[in-house]
Amino acid sequence: ALILVLIGLVSLFVMIIAASLVAMQITKPIKQLTANVWRVEQGDLSAPFVATTNDEIGLLNRQFQRMIQRIDRLIKREYRLALENRTNELRALQSQLNPHFLFNALQSIGTTTLQGDRKIAYRSITGLSQMMRYSMNNEQTIVTLKQEVDHLQAYIRLQQQRFPERFRYIVDVPWHLNDIEVPKMILQPFAENYFKHAFRQQLASTENYLAYKVRTDGGRLIIQIENSGAILETGRLEEIDRKMRMHRSPEDLETSGIGLHNIYERLLIFYGEEANMTLSSSAVEGGFKIVIRIPYEKGDLA
């Protein structure tokens, strides 16, 4: 009887171990499949679906792997198409800025040449060539804030030669923000708009001003631009804001508000709904104020 009991206990123990091993062989691929499905649900399409058996679980693994690979290919294709479309949009928008910039810069150099100052004219042409190289380099769509500020100041220096002692300007950018990356050509067009629409030659420098101020707030870069434009008529600011936010195709040649619209479109292309651009003006003192808020990587800070 004792021997039979021992044999029974040993047999039961062996059966339990065997049943556990069989259960592990069955449940292990199921658990692995479940874990991989969870990873895919979190957005990780690189999860390895390795089929170690030829049963129904192995077949399900292989089918699921083929489905994920197909989805991954479709996502990459759509991403490449979207990226190509955005690149084309950026190039189209940037090509609209260049003619306005070139016209104003050449006009400034022409005025200096007529005044007979060859050295200043030479420096202006050299500066213009550098600025055109910067603005027409379509391969570089993201630049540092310092590069944008340098481009802005080069443009303003050209205008100073054209209108000596007729305006004052301030560019207030803390040095530790220099390495923050921003979309290209989002600062200089505001200055160009100022000289095209708001600058008044008959006034002294104390009344004509252009001010740039850049700060950070949390994870957002804040760019504030103010100028001494005239008092806007009632509803004019709302009209400018509406045209700025109106969707236009890159082939649209309408020029009213095109500088603001292009910058706004560029910000949306790069940052989507995280970008914000607001316009304001004083009904008493006049002037024009623009505030841009965009996210930035804190790792870019020096």
Side-chain angles (χ1 to χ4, degrees):
L2 180 59
I3 292 174
L4 290 175
V5 170
L6 291 175
I7 293 175
L9 291 175
V10 170
S11 300
L12 179 62
F13 181 72
V14 171
M15 291 175 61
I16 292 175
I17 293 177
S20 299
L21 292 175
V22 172
M24 287 178 62
Q25 291 296 322
I26 296 175
T27 58
K28 183 179 179 180
I30 296 177
K31 289 181 179 179
Q32 183 181 5
L33 178 61
T34 303
N36 288 336
V37 169
W38 182 85
R39 288 175 61 180
V40 171
E41 184 181 1
Q42 300 303 311
D44 181 9
L45 299 182
S46 63
F49 289 84
V50 180
T52 57
T53 61
N54 293 320
D55 55 9
E56 290 80 0
I57 300 299
L59 177 63
L60 182 60
N61 250 315
R62 287 188 287 271
Q63 293 289 350
F64 207 90
Q65 184 177 26
R66 284 194 287 269
M67 182 184 71
I68 295 301
Q69 290 173 345
R70 191 178 302 115
I71 292 174
D72 190 38
R73 286 195 298 269
L74 290 173
I75 290 176
K76 288 179 179 178
R77 186 182 69 180
E78 291 300 319
Y79 174 77
R80 284 194 296 268
L81 290 174
L83 185 62
E84 183 177 352
N85 289 336
R86 287 194 169 193
T87 301
N88 291 335
E89 288 179 24
L90 284 171
R91 290 176 177 173
L93 292 171
Q94 190 164 317
S95 67
Q96 291 178 357
L97 294 174
N98 291 333
H100 299 284
F101 161 71
L102 181 60
F103 172 79
N104 287 340
L106 289 176
Q107 187 178 24
S108 174
I109 293 174
T111 302
T112 304
T113 305
L114 289 175
Q115 293 173 352
D117 196 329
R118 291 180 297 177
K119 291 183 178 180
I120 294 180
Y122 176 77
R123 286 198 298 267
S124 299
I125 293 174
T126 302
L128 175 61
S129 66
Q130 294 173 348
M131 294 172 66
M132 289 302 295
R133 189 181 302 113
Y134 176 83
S135 63
M136 297 181 69
N137 181 10
N138 291 327
E139 299 301 322
Q140 188 181 27
T141 56
I142 292 288
V143 296
T144 64
L145 185 59
K146 184 180 186 303
Q147 288 176 289
E148 270 293 281
V149 170
D150 289 344
H151 182 69
L152 166 68
Q153 291 184 324
Y155 175 82
I156 294 178
R157 282 195 293 270
L158 284 175
Q159 296 299 342
Q160 279 185 319
Q161 294 171 10
R162 183 183 176 190
F163 305 111
E165 299 181 1
R166 281 291 179 266
F167 71 93
R168 55 192 172 90
Y169 78 96
I170 299 172
V171 179
D172 181 8
V173 182
W175 65 269
H176 67 279
L177 304 182
N178 283 339
D179 292 332
I180 289 180
E181 294 185 336
V182 296
K184 189 177 182 180
M185 296 292 290
I186 64 169
L187 296 183
Q188 179 268 337
F190 289 117
E192 186 173 339
N193 267 2
Y194 167 67
F195 286 102
K196 184 178 180 181
H197 300 292
F199 177 70
R200 291 167 287 181
Q201 298 186 39
Q202 68 275 15
L203 299 181
S205 61
T206 55
E207 298 180 74
N208 280 322
Y209 71 88
L210 177 64
Y212 283 77
K213 181 180 179 181
V214 181
R215 295 290 185 269
T216 57
D217 181 15
R220 301 180 74 80
L221 185 71
I222 301 176
I223 304 172
Q224 180 177 301
I225 304 105
E226 294 185 71
N227 64 41
S228 55
I231 297 175
L232 297 177
E233 298 178 1
T234 304
R236 177 58 179 160
L237 184 65
E238 287 80 3
E239 181 184 358
I240 294 174
D241 187 88
R242 179 182 60 82
K243 287 185 176 181
M244 179 188 76
R245 301 178 190 279
M246 182 188 304
H247 177 72
R248 305 180 194 176
S249 64
E251 295 78 15
D252 192 345
L253 299 179
E254 182 184 355
T255 58
S256 177
I258 199 168
L260 295 178
H261 171 76
N262 281 352
I263 295 171
Y264 182 70
E265 285 283 326
R266 291 165 71 83
L267 294 177
L268 290 182
I269 288 174
F270 279 100
Y271 303 108
E273 297 300 321
E274 292 186 271
N276 180 263
M277 181 169 162
T278 58
L279 314 178
S280 62
S281 179
S282 172
V284 178
E285 300 178 357
F288 200 68
K289 181 178 179 180
I290 301 167
V291 179
I292 296 174
R293 295 179 175 86
I294 54 177
Y296 75 96
E297 296 292 336
K298 293 186 177 181
D300 293 336
L301 294 178

PDB file of all heavy atoms in Angstrom, residues 41 86 110 116 144 148 162 189-190 194 222 230 233 238 270:
ATOM      1  N   GLU A  41      -0.339  48.893 -30.539  1.00  0.00           N
ATOM      2  CA  GLU A  41      -1.367  49.844 -30.099  1.00  0.00           C
ATOM      3  C   GLU A  41      -0.749  51.141 -29.601  1.00  0.00           C
ATOM      4  O   GLU A  41      -1.321  52.230 -29.772  1.00  0.00           O
ATOM      5  CB  GLU A  41      -2.216  49.216 -28.998  1.00  0.00           C
ATOM      6  CG  GLU A  41      -3.373  50.096 -28.552  1.00  0.00           C
ATOM      7  CD  GLU A  41      -4.184  49.445 -27.444  1.00  0.00           C
ATOM      8  OE1 GLU A  41      -3.808  48.325 -27.029  1.00  0.00           O
ATOM      9  OE2 GLU A  41      -5.161  50.054 -26.991  1.00  0.00           O
ATOM     10  N   ARG A  86       4.675  69.367 -48.287  1.00  0.00           N
ATOM     11  CA  ARG A  86       5.046  70.492 -47.431  1.00  0.00           C
ATOM     12  C   ARG A  86       6.278  71.210 -47.969  1.00  0.00           C
ATOM     13  O   ARG A  86       6.362  72.430 -47.944  1.00  0.00           O
ATOM     14  CB  ARG A  86       5.299  70.009 -46.002  1.00  0.00           C
ATOM     15  CG  ARG A  86       4.024  69.634 -45.267  1.00  0.00           C
ATOM     16  CD  ARG A  86       4.262  69.487 -43.776  1.00  0.00           C
ATOM     17  NE  ARG A  86       3.013  69.384 -43.049  1.00  0.00           N
ATOM     18  CZ  ARG A  86       2.897  69.490 -41.738  1.00  0.00           C
ATOM     19  NH1 ARG A  86       3.974  69.706 -41.016  1.00  0.00           N
ATOM     20  NH2 ARG A  86       1.741  69.389 -41.145  1.00  0.00           N
ATOM     21  N   GLY A 110      20.094 101.393 -55.532  1.00  0.00           N
ATOM     22  CA  GLY A 110      20.027 102.383 -56.599  1.00  0.00           C
ATOM     23  C   GLY A 110      20.068 103.800 -56.063  1.00  0.00           C
ATOM     24  O   GLY A 110      20.752 104.680 -56.618  1.00  0.00           O
ATOM     25  N   GLY A 116      26.294 108.830 -55.274  1.00  0.00           N
ATOM     26  CA  GLY A 116      27.703 108.856 -55.598  1.00  0.00           C
ATOM     27  C   GLY A 116      28.627 108.205 -54.595  1.00  0.00           C
ATOM     28  O   GLY A 116      29.852 108.329 -54.718  1.00  0.00           O
ATOM     29  N   THR A 144      18.907  78.623 -37.310  1.00  0.00           N
ATOM     30  CA  THR A 144      18.959  79.088 -35.929  1.00  0.00           C
ATOM     31  C   THR A 144      18.394  80.496 -35.848  1.00  0.00           C
ATOM     32  O   THR A 144      18.359  81.231 -36.848  1.00  0.00           O
ATOM     33  CB  THR A 144      20.402  79.087 -35.399  1.00  0.00           C
ATOM     34  OG1 THR A 144      21.185  80.023 -36.159  1.00  0.00           O
ATOM     35  CG2 THR A 144      21.014  77.700 -35.500  1.00  0.00           C
ATOM     36  N   GLU A 148      18.556  83.993 -38.466  1.00  0.00           N
ATOM     37  CA  GLU A 148      17.416  84.829 -38.846  1.00  0.00           C
ATOM     38  C   GLU A 148      17.638  86.281 -38.438  1.00  0.00           C
ATOM     39  O   GLU A 148      17.340  87.201 -39.190  1.00  0.00           O
ATOM     40  CB  GLU A 148      16.129  84.301 -38.188  1.00  0.00           C
ATOM     41  CG  GLU A 148      15.392  83.286 -38.998  1.00  0.00           C
ATOM     42  CD  GLU A 148      14.812  83.855 -40.268  1.00  0.00           C
ATOM     43  OE1 GLU A 148      13.754  84.505 -40.214  1.00  0.00           O
ATOM     44  OE2 GLU A 148      15.429  83.665 -41.328  1.00  0.00           O
ATOM     45  N   ARG A 162      19.332 103.759 -47.244  1.00  0.00           N
ATOM     46  CA  ARG A 162      18.339 104.402 -48.102  1.00  0.00           C
ATOM     47  C   ARG A 162      17.646 105.560 -47.394  1.00  0.00           C
ATOM     48  O   ARG A 162      17.359 106.593 -48.012  1.00  0.00           O
ATOM     49  CB  ARG A 162      17.309 103.361 -48.536  1.00  0.00           C
ATOM     50  CG  ARG A 162      16.267 103.885 -49.493  1.00  0.00           C
ATOM     51  CD  ARG A 162      15.252 102.811 -49.806  1.00  0.00           C
ATOM     52  NE  ARG A 162      14.190 103.321 -50.652  1.00  0.00           N
ATOM     53  CZ  ARG A 162      13.068 102.672 -50.927  1.00  0.00           C
ATOM     54  NH1 ARG A 162      12.878 101.459 -50.406  1.00  0.00           N
ATOM     55  NH2 ARG A 162      12.153 103.201 -51.702  1.00  0.00           N
ATOM     56  N   PRO A 189      10.537  89.481 -43.355  1.00  0.00           N
ATOM     57  CA  PRO A 189       9.351  89.972 -44.070  1.00  0.00           C
ATOM     58  C   PRO A 189       8.535  90.987 -43.276  1.00  0.00           C
ATOM     59  O   PRO A 189       7.882  91.854 -43.867  1.00  0.00           O
ATOM     60  CB  PRO A 189       8.545  88.690 -44.321  1.00  0.00           C
ATOM     61  CG  PRO A 189       9.578  87.621 -44.391  1.00  0.00           C
ATOM     62  CD  PRO A 189      10.595  88.003 -43.352  1.00  0.00           C
ATOM     63  N   PHE A 190       8.555  90.921 -41.937  1.00  0.00           N
ATOM     64  CA  PHE A 190       7.836  91.928 -41.142  1.00  0.00           C
ATOM     65  C   PHE A 190       8.469  93.304 -41.329  1.00  0.00           C
ATOM     66  O   PHE A 190       7.763  94.313 -41.432  1.00  0.00           O
ATOM     67  CB  PHE A 190       7.843  91.544 -39.661  1.00  0.00           C
ATOM     68  CG  PHE A 190       6.983  90.360 -39.342  1.00  0.00           C
ATOM     69  CD1 PHE A 190       7.537  89.198 -38.837  1.00  0.00           C
ATOM     70  CD2 PHE A 190       5.621  90.398 -39.540  1.00  0.00           C
ATOM     71  CE1 PHE A 190       6.751  88.104 -38.545  1.00  0.00           C
ATOM     72  CE2 PHE A 190       4.809  89.317 -39.250  1.00  0.00           C
ATOM     73  CZ  PHE A 190       5.383  88.158 -38.749  1.00  0.00           C
ATOM     74  N   TYR A 194       6.878  96.664 -43.025  1.00  0.00           N
ATOM     75  CA  TYR A 194       6.891  97.972 -42.359  1.00  0.00           C
ATOM     76  C   TYR A 194       7.319  99.063 -43.332  1.00  0.00           C
ATOM     77  O   TYR A 194       6.663 100.116 -43.434  1.00  0.00           O
ATOM     78  CB  TYR A 194       7.840  97.929 -41.158  1.00  0.00           C
ATOM     79  CG  TYR A 194       8.163  99.296 -40.596  1.00  0.00           C
ATOM     80  CD1 TYR A 194       7.188 100.061 -39.974  1.00  0.00           C
ATOM     81  CD2 TYR A 194       9.443  99.828 -40.713  1.00  0.00           C
ATOM     82  CE1 TYR A 194       7.476 101.323 -39.465  1.00  0.00           C
ATOM     83  CE2 TYR A 194       9.743 101.085 -40.218  1.00  0.00           C
ATOM     84  CZ  TYR A 194       8.758 101.830 -39.589  1.00  0.00           C
ATOM     85  OH  TYR A 194       9.050 103.081 -39.103  1.00  0.00           O
ATOM     86  N   ILE A 222       8.428  83.290 -27.870  1.00  0.00           N
ATOM     87  CA  ILE A 222       7.533  84.414 -28.137  1.00  0.00           C
ATOM     88  C   ILE A 222       8.307  85.497 -28.886  1.00  0.00           C
ATOM     89  O   ILE A 222       9.294  86.030 -28.387  1.00  0.00           O
ATOM     90  CB  ILE A 222       6.950  84.985 -26.841  1.00  0.00           C
ATOM     91  CG1 ILE A 222       6.179  83.887 -26.088  1.00  0.00           C
ATOM     92  CG2 ILE A 222       6.039  86.172 -27.134  1.00  0.00           C
ATOM     93  CD1 ILE A 222       5.645  84.323 -24.755  1.00  0.00           C
ATOM     94  N   ALA A 230       0.511 104.017 -39.011  1.00  0.00           N
ATOM     95  CA  ALA A 230      -0.570 104.975 -38.776  1.00  0.00           C
ATOM     96  C   ALA A 230      -1.758 104.279 -38.118  1.00  0.00           C
ATOM     97  O   ALA A 230      -1.836 103.048 -38.053  1.00  0.00           O
ATOM     98  CB  ALA A 230      -0.991 105.603 -40.099  1.00  0.00           C
ATOM     99  N   GLU A 233      -8.043 102.246 -39.887  1.00  0.00           N
ATOM    100  CA  GLU A 233      -9.473 102.516 -39.919  1.00  0.00           C
ATOM    101  C   GLU A 233     -10.240 101.380 -39.240  1.00  0.00           C
ATOM    102  O   GLU A 233      -9.745 100.270 -39.090  1.00  0.00           O
ATOM    103  CB  GLU A 233      -9.940 102.661 -41.362  1.00  0.00           C
ATOM    104  CG  GLU A 233      -9.292 103.808 -42.113  1.00  0.00           C
ATOM    105  CD  GLU A 233      -9.751 103.874 -43.549  1.00  0.00           C
ATOM    106  OE1 GLU A 233     -10.603 103.026 -43.932  1.00  0.00           O
ATOM    107  OE2 GLU A 233      -9.275 104.751 -44.278  1.00  0.00           O
ATOM    108  N   GLU A 238      -9.267  93.789 -38.594  1.00  0.00           N
ATOM    109  CA  GLU A 238      -9.963  92.520 -38.763  1.00  0.00           C
ATOM    110  C   GLU A 238      -9.834  91.996 -40.189  1.00  0.00           C
ATOM    111  O   GLU A 238      -9.696  90.790 -40.416  1.00  0.00           O
ATOM    112  CB  GLU A 238     -11.446  92.686 -38.409  1.00  0.00           C
ATOM    113  CG  GLU A 238     -11.742  92.831 -36.931  1.00  0.00           C
ATOM    114  CD  GLU A 238     -11.478  94.248 -36.423  1.00  0.00           C
ATOM    115  OE1 GLU A 238     -11.110  95.121 -37.251  1.00  0.00           O
ATOM    116  OE2 GLU A 238     -11.625  94.480 -35.213  1.00  0.00           O
ATOM    117  N   PHE A 270       4.967  74.051 -40.212  1.00  0.00           N
ATOM    118  CA  PHE A 270       5.966  73.498 -39.305  1.00  0.00           C
ATOM    119  C   PHE A 270       5.366  73.053 -37.975  1.00  0.00           C
ATOM    120  O   PHE A 270       5.781  72.040 -37.424  1.00  0.00           O
ATOM    121  CB  PHE A 270       7.061  74.530 -39.039  1.00  0.00           C
ATOM    122  CG  PHE A 270       8.103  74.606 -40.113  1.00  0.00           C
ATOM    123  CD1 PHE A 270       8.052  75.605 -41.061  1.00  0.00           C
ATOM    124  CD2 PHE A 270       9.120  73.665 -40.199  1.00  0.00           C
ATOM    125  CE1 PHE A 270       9.004  75.681 -42.068  1.00  0.00           C
ATOM    126  CE2 PHE A 270      10.074  73.729 -41.198  1.00  0.00           C
ATOM    127  CZ  PHE A 270      10.016  74.741 -42.140  1.00  0.00           C
TER     128      PHE A 270
END
